[in-house]
Amino acid sequence: MEDLRALSYGLGQQYFEERDYRGAIRALRPVVEETPEDVGTRLLLARAYYHAALLKPAEEQLLEVLDREPTEYYAHLMMARTLERQSRAEEAGKHRRIAAALTGDDELLKPHNA
């Protein structure tokens, strides 16, 4: 089963790199269901959802990542971008501030389209 999971993850990563985000979602979703504690795979799935403009599922995956790894700065940044795309700038600001504090990079305070 480990080999199948690794194969699915590799396929998901390849689809993501080729910008086939829906293909990445199809490959990664079963991996995340089987290994919910795998934050890296869940974050890649969230990114695929985001790029496929499936913002609610992206937000749900990011909430899971942040629940497991509250200091994962990139998850905070992705959450901010996801919320901004949903016109939820006030909520996004909190995640931008956390990402900036975790990295020391004040550039992260600027909205993605700025």
Side-chain angles (χ1 to χ4, degrees):
M1 204 55 152
E2 184 79 23
D3 291 341
L4 186 57
R5 218 176 19 248
L7 182 65
S8 291
Y9 177 80
L11 192 58
Q13 199 169 31
Q14 181 180 337
Y15 282 138
F16 187 87
E17 289 169 5
E18 293 170 354
R19 295 188 169 137
D20 178 358
Y21 301 117
R22 291 186 185 259
I25 291 165
R26 283 190 303 276
L28 295 169
R29 196 171 28 216
V31 178
V32 168
E33 288 170 1
E34 193 173 320
T35 56
E37 71 284 351
D38 184 349
V39 172
T41 302
R42 190 178 291 276
L43 185 56
L44 184 57
L45 177 60
R47 292 175 64 202
Y49 277 128
Y50 173 85
H51 287 294
L54 298 168
L55 301 178
K56 277 298 184 188
E59 182 179 351
E60 290 166 7
Q61 293 301 320
L62 289 165
L63 285 171
E64 283 291 327
V65 169
L66 292 171
D67 187 50
R68 295 171 193 283
E69 292 287 334
T71 59
E72 175 56 63
Y73 96 91
Y74 193 71
H76 282 286
L77 181 59
M78 284 301 305
M79 180 64 87
R81 291 177 178 173
T82 300
L83 294 170
E84 287 164 354
R85 285 181 71 181
Q86 296 177 72
S87 300
R88 295 163 58 191
E90 190 171 319
E91 292 173 77
K94 168 190 160 193
H95 291 283
R96 284 196 171 282
R97 287 189 296 278
I98 293 170
L102 288 169
T103 62
D105 184 356
D106 287 343
E107 288 294 311
L108 298 179
L109 294 170
K110 296 177 184 174
H112 190 57
N113 57 0

